[in-house]
Amino acid sequence: MTGARRGKRDLSDEASRRGKRDLSDEASRRGTRDLPDESSSAPAATPVWLADVAIPVPLGMAFSYTVPERLRASVVPGSRVLCALGHRKVAGVVLSVGERVPSLPIHRLKPLLELVDAAPVLPVELLRFLEELARYYYAPIGEALRLALPVVERESIARLAAQGELAAGEAPGHARAFGRVVTFATATDALEAPGSLRGQAALVLAFLRAHGDAKVSALARQFGNARVAVAKLEQLGLVLTAQRSDIAEGARFDGDVPREPPPEPTALQAACVSRIAARLRDGQAGAFVLVGVTGSGKTEGYMRAIAECRDLGKSAIVLVPEIALTPQLVGRFRARFGDEVGVLHSGLKGSARHRMWRELRDGTLKIAVGARSALFAPVSDLGLVVVDEEHDGSFKQEEGVRYHARDMALLRAHRAGAVCVLGSATPSLESIALSRSGRAERLDLPERATRATLPTIELVDLRRIGAGPSGERYLSLPLHRALEATLRAGEQSIVFLNRRGFAPAIVCQACGVLMQCRLCSVSLTFHRGEQRLRCHTCDFAARLPKTCTCGSSKLELEGLGTEKLEASLRAAFPAARVGRLDRDVAQGARSAAILDQMRRGELDILVGTQMVTKGHDLPCVTLVGVVNADTALGMPDFRAAERGFQLLVQVAGRAGRHERPGRVVIQTYNPDHPALTFAARHDVDGFLAAELLDRLAAGYPPHQRLALVRVSAIDEEVARSAAAQIAARARATKAVSAREVEVLGPAPAPIAKTRNQFRFRVLLRSRERGPLRGVLSEIAARLTELDRKAQAVIDVDPVSML
């Protein structure tokens, strides 16, 4: 497609008017294409040099531009180029380039304007992987490329030119390296002749002498005509200009980590690493599912596999589910691998993230560690991809390009000829099915590396057992006594409740009204620390009213959150030092600080949400209390039992990881639930086998494939009508008529309204991927026919059904 397809019309403006609606069409299946203007004449028959360019606009296609002769030797796949889109100049990434016959007349094709970088910003392996990811998830290719480029790299080159950081007419491909390169001016030691400088030139020179070097763009903003002044000063030898990165080159990390020799592996660890190393040495793609109990030394196995990978001269990527885990893991990796380790995750500031990205791209760093976005690290010679806690739902991105990092890790490794290791104490059913099918090899670590035993697990039936001395039913007598004993022994406890805030519901006792968010169909949670009501879906906040809309002042705070639980434990155990770990108190580096307090023995009891379940090694924790196991098990989602089981096993695994034995107390009103009984026996394989049978009977993954079409609009009837239109289109396809694909819905989503948008969905289900994708492609091609007030998004392999 050309930038002139619609004359002067700016295509991105149309996309912005349609919101974030997915405009992917048939072009997303074909990759790129040239689309003729309706008024154009016959296309040229002579081959010309064309480049297909991905531009960050929400359209499911690339744009084709002619390649000027002066750029033909330099423009290659992965190059960043400056091109025209409507009335704007934007930066895009070249997907392919070559000589071919265009589908438009030559005069209708726009040329590339400039090459931005001296070398490609993305390696070809990563570029092809991103193209495949975009096709699989029906995502615009430009949006998929955004995943792999840090913010600094995604900036419009037109904006840089407007700021003076690319001079007019400059050939940036010969001057810019990776990163944002800007022009700096520095005063020399030379002296001007008395009275030779006046006006702006004198002011600029005085400024540089007083303050040191400065960006020319900053001088222009301060002094107006500073560019001419700088040019004059440079001619007189009074100023030097140079281009360099404006990214700080300080230390990558805060503080040094002493190098540590690897410990002696257990026999089981050595056997697992041996299998992975053999596949690495073969140089062939492969996949492993590493199933290891909590504390079995999976991380040590990862590091030994990475050492084998590095010995072969290849790079590695390690994915973890939580940003909060990254500092802990990075510390261990730096102690083992030194300066070869880089970090990529959304919590990094732009300049730090850019530096890590650039040094991974340049080959200075060979090991990328981070949350799901680290999957797109621009490393070369990829040899190994590790996905730690692969079962975790946070590996699925729920907005924008809805990719699953675990699934795409398998794809990237396969395409790169690398090895992928999926590790977990509670593997996902999808990974177990992968190993059972022979597409991945299963490896097992059934014992803790420290020889410590797994903790004993006690189920407390809240139907029969009442409150302890505190009088609070959520602190049962067995849990209270267990906490007392742990405190007497000088050991630490974790009390788990997966609900933050003080009270998750505010109810009027006079009229029974539950206070709900204005924008979402969910109740507001009271946060006592800030004395505000807050929506945990859209983050809407308001003060707690004194009266209900009915006029009554009888407002009751009901339910239990971590904030209230912390207060109750402080009251029940006044001598104990109680801390809390949830997203209200532990943003960014704060979570690491709280965990360090636990490791230093400065806290006796840690109250937390699922943040406390994720791979933390706290040697003195011997007791874990689960306040309400039923919350996760009661969600309206076919994965509820699996998620609940995983959560319980993971949090139980924090207890007794070293020489002191551990104990787990789980409170429930449904002690006979299979997820609880299997968890109490540490029977992971038993649960997986039972759950696989249940999924087979119900027709859910991993036995069948799913896709959701999510529809939303401010007007409920608009959303309902658009969803019905999509369902009707799906039912008209051959695959549905042949019963190869089942269409369910349209139906309101379980959370019917979020962010002032009414939500409906259409569920597609099939035993085979091919027929399902055929129906999805038919739907994608017709999304532009929907009411423009509705937004429709295709979610392939959905994780959240809410």
Side-chain angles (χ1 to χ4, degrees):
M1 179 171 179
T2 76
R5 174 189 172 193
R6 302 192 183 191
K8 299 290 187 179
R9 184 176 181 183
D10 189 339
L11 298 180
S12 64
D13 289 344
E14 179 182 357
S16 65
R17 288 196 300 273
R18 298 188 183 190
K20 294 184 178 178
R21 174 179 173 187
D22 185 352
L23 299 178
S24 300
D25 60 6
E26 185 180 0
S28 66
R29 302 194 302 276
R30 298 184 179 179
T32 63
R33 62 179 182 179
D34 302 292
L35 295 180
D37 188 281
E38 292 179 359
S39 61
S40 65
S41 56
T46 305
V48 296
W49 277 90
L50 293 175
D52 293 323
V53 181
I55 295 174
V57 295
L59 295 171
M61 62 188 74
F63 296 76
S64 294
Y65 293 86
T66 60
V67 183
E69 187 171 354
R70 63 186 174 84
L71 297 179
R72 289 177 189 172
S74 305
V75 173
V76 297
S79 296
R80 198 164 52 141
V81 292
L82 182 64
C83 47
L85 181 67
H87 297 293
R88 299 181 300 142
K89 294 178 181 179
V90 297
V93 177
V94 175
L95 300 177
S96 62
V97 61
E99 200 172 16
R100 70 171 188 262
V101 176
S103 60
L104 292 178
I106 294 297
H107 73 275
R108 298 293 296 165
L109 295 170
K110 290 187 176 182
L112 296 179
L113 301 178
E114 286 295 350
L115 179 68
V116 176
D117 305 284
V121 293
L122 296 176
V124 173
E125 172 266 319
L126 178 55
L127 186 68
R128 299 297 172 240
F129 163 66
L130 288 165
E131 287 185 275
E132 193 162 356
L133 179 148
R135 286 193 296 271
Y136 184 76
Y137 289 106
Y138 293 89
I141 180 60
E143 296 300 306
L145 287 176
R146 281 178 176 267
L147 299 170
L149 294 173
V151 172
V152 173
E153 290 297 326
R154 300 198 303 253
E155 285 193 71
S156 167
I157 302 305
R159 182 185 303 170
L160 299 182
Q163 294 173 349
E165 293 165 4
L166 272 178
E170 177 186 346
H174 301 288
R176 293 170 61 88
F178 299 112
R180 173 171 166 164
V181 178
V182 299
T183 303
F184 282 80
T186 307
T188 67
D189 294 331
L191 298 176
E192 69 276 18
S196 62
L197 293 180
R198 297 179 182 177
Q200 294 281 23
L203 292 173
V204 169
L205 183 60
F207 180 88
L208 292 174
R209 285 174 173 170
H211 300 281
D213 61 358
K215 298 178 188 178
V216 173
S217 58
L219 293 173
R221 288 192 292 272
Q222 184 167 349
F223 296 104
N225 199 28
R227 297 184 192 286
V228 175
V230 168
K232 178 181 179 180
L233 292 169
E234 190 169 27
Q235 288 177 351
L236 295 173
L238 300 173
V239 162
L240 292 176
T241 61
Q243 289 188 325
R244 65 177 186 265
S245 171
D246 66 346
I247 301 299
E249 294 296 334
R252 299 187 192 99
F253 302 99
D254 293 332
D256 295 326
V257 175
R259 297 293 293 270
E260 295 179 359
E264 190 68 25
T266 67
L268 291 169
Q269 285 175 336
C272 291
V273 173
S274 176
R275 295 293 305 143
I276 298 169
R279 186 62 62 91
L280 284 167
R281 287 191 295 269
D282 288 344
Q284 296 181 350
F288 294 90
V289 178
L290 177 59
V291 183
V293 299
T294 54
S296 60
K298 292 185 292 295
T299 303
E300 177 61 30
Y302 303 152
M303 290 194 289
R304 287 184 171 274
I306 290 170
E308 295 280 353
C309 177
R310 291 295 305 119
D311 287 345
L312 296 170
K314 294 183 177 292
S315 302
I317 295 173
V318 182
L319 305 183
V320 295
E322 284 277 348
I323 293 174
L325 277 183
T326 310
Q328 173 186 335
L329 196 65
V330 168
R332 293 186 63 180
F333 274 69
R334 289 177 62 202
R336 184 70 58 88
F337 299 106
D339 293 334
E340 291 193 328
V341 180
V343 180
L344 286 177
H345 60 71
S346 59
L348 290 177
K349 294 182 179 179
S351 59
R353 183 179 176 87
H354 177 268
R355 181 187 176 187
M356 293 287 188
W357 179 90
R358 177 163 48 85
E359 293 187 345
L360 287 163
R361 177 63 185 84
D362 292 345
T364 305
L365 303 176
K366 297 291 188 180
I367 303 168
V369 181
R372 61 176 178 255
S373 59
L375 174 64
F376 308 107
V379 296
S380 55
D381 296 321
L382 180 62
L384 179 66
V385 182
V386 174
V387 185
D388 189 29
E389 309 292 0
E390 60 83 19
H391 67 277
D392 198 279
S394 66
F395 282 123
K396 172 74 170 181
Q397 180 156 296
E398 296 294 350
E399 294 182 350
V401 182
R402 295 174 177 252
Y403 70 94
H404 199 304
R406 178 199 63 213
D407 299 345
M408 292 299 100
L410 288 163
L411 177 63
R412 185 172 183 187
H414 179 74
R415 293 290 182 255
V419 173
C420 184
V421 178
L422 309 179
S424 177
T426 53
S428 64
L429 268 68
E430 287 80 1
S431 295
I432 289 300
L434 195 71
S435 67
R436 289 188 172 190
S437 70
R439 290 175 289 171
E441 181 179 343
R442 175 169 170 168
L443 305 173
D444 286 282
L445 291 172
E447 300 174 356
R448 286 185 158 177
T450 58
R451 305 301 181 189
T453 58
L454 292 171
T456 59
I457 297 180
E458 175 186 357
L459 298 180
V460 176
D461 187 350
L462 294 178
R463 298 171 302 181
R464 298 186 301 103
I465 299 176
S470 70
E472 304 286 2
R473 284 195 54 85
Y474 51 81
L475 291 178
S476 67
L477 183 62
L479 179 56
H480 189 101
R481 295 299 182 219
L483 287 166
E484 282 182 332
T486 305
L487 289 169
R488 281 197 304 270
E491 297 167 352
Q492 293 175 315
S493 304
I494 288 175
V495 182
F496 170 71
L497 175 66
N498 205 25
R499 180 175 287 167
R500 58 192 175 96
F502 188 85
I506 300 88
V507 180
C508 176
Q509 292 183 319
C511 68
V513 166
L514 175 69
M515 289 193 177
Q516 286 196 316
C517 175
R518 298 176 184 175
L519 305 176
C520 309
S521 55
V522 297
S523 62
L524 292 170
T525 298
F526 178 63
H527 290 253
R528 191 172 69 171
E530 55 180 337
Q531 286 293 303
R532 293 178 76 82
L533 301 175
R534 190 170 292 279
C535 174
H536 289 175
T537 299
C538 72
D539 210 33
F540 167 81
R543 293 191 177 278
L544 179 66
K546 294 181 179 180
T547 61
C548 176
T549 53
C550 72
S552 172
S553 60
K554 297 180 180 179
L555 299 179
E556 185 74 15
L557 301 177
E558 295 194 349
L560 177 67
T562 50
E563 195 178 12
K564 183 177 180 180
L565 179 59
E566 178 189 16
S568 298
L569 288 169
R570 289 182 186 275
F573 304 100
R577 297 165 296 175
V578 182
R580 176 159 54 96
L581 183 63
D582 59 29
R583 296 196 184 281
D584 294 331
V585 298
Q587 295 290 341
R590 179 64 180 146
S591 61
I594 294 172
L595 292 168
D596 285 342
Q597 283 185 284
M598 284 289 285
R599 294 188 183 96
R600 293 193 301 265
E602 296 171 5
L603 294 174
D604 300 310
I605 302 173
L606 180 63
V607 176
T609 59
Q610 62 181 2
M611 292 180 72
V612 303
T613 71
K614 306 286 183 70
H616 305 299
D617 188 7
L618 303 172
C620 293
V621 171
T622 58
L623 173 67
V624 168
V626 178
V627 173
N628 185 358
D630 305 324
T631 304
L633 299 174
M635 297 296 288
D637 191 318
F638 70 89
R639 289 191 175 92
E642 180 185 13
R643 289 194 185 119
F645 175 80
Q646 291 165 345
L647 204 58
L648 292 172
V649 172
Q650 292 287 340
V651 72
R654 301 314 105 203
R657 293 171 67 93
H658 291 268
E659 64 275 5
R660 306 175 188 180
R663 179 184 178 188
V664 181
V665 177
I666 299 176
Q667 298 182 156
T668 175
Y669 286 96
N670 188 12
D672 297 323
H673 194 290
L676 296 176
T677 57
F678 281 116
R681 300 195 300 266
H682 300 283
D683 188 359
V684 174
D685 284 328
F687 173 80
L688 292 171
E691 187 68 9
L692 281 169
L693 288 175
D694 289 344
R695 297 276 185 89
L696 179 62
Y700 282 116
H703 304 290
Q704 295 207 35
R705 297 186 174 275
L706 298 183
L708 269 179
V709 185
R710 302 179 186 269
V711 182
S712 60
I714 293 176
D715 187 302
E716 184 174 9
E717 287 307 313
V718 169
R720 190 192 313 274
S721 175
Q725 190 176 341
I726 289 170
R729 179 59 194 164
R731 290 189 171 99
T733 60
K734 292 181 179 179
V736 174
S737 299
R739 297 188 177 181
E740 295 176 317
V741 177
E742 182 182 6
V743 181
L744 301 174
I751 300 178
K753 183 182 179 184
T754 63
R755 296 176 174 86
N756 208 32
Q757 298 271 329
F758 288 94
R759 306 165 69 237
F760 288 81
R761 59 186 191 173
V762 178
L763 179 65
L764 305 179
R765 180 163 60 182
S766 177
R767 294 184 183 277
E768 301 295 333
R769 178 183 297 173
L772 178 62
R773 293 195 63 78
V775 176
L776 289 175
S777 297
E778 291 282 348
I779 293 172
R782 299 297 184 91
L783 289 181
T784 54
E785 300 174 5
L786 299 177
D787 189 321
R788 291 190 177 188
K789 296 177 183 178
Q791 300 176 25
V793 176
I794 294 174
D795 189 355
V796 180
D797 303 327
V799 170
S800 172
M801 303 301 289
L802 301 180

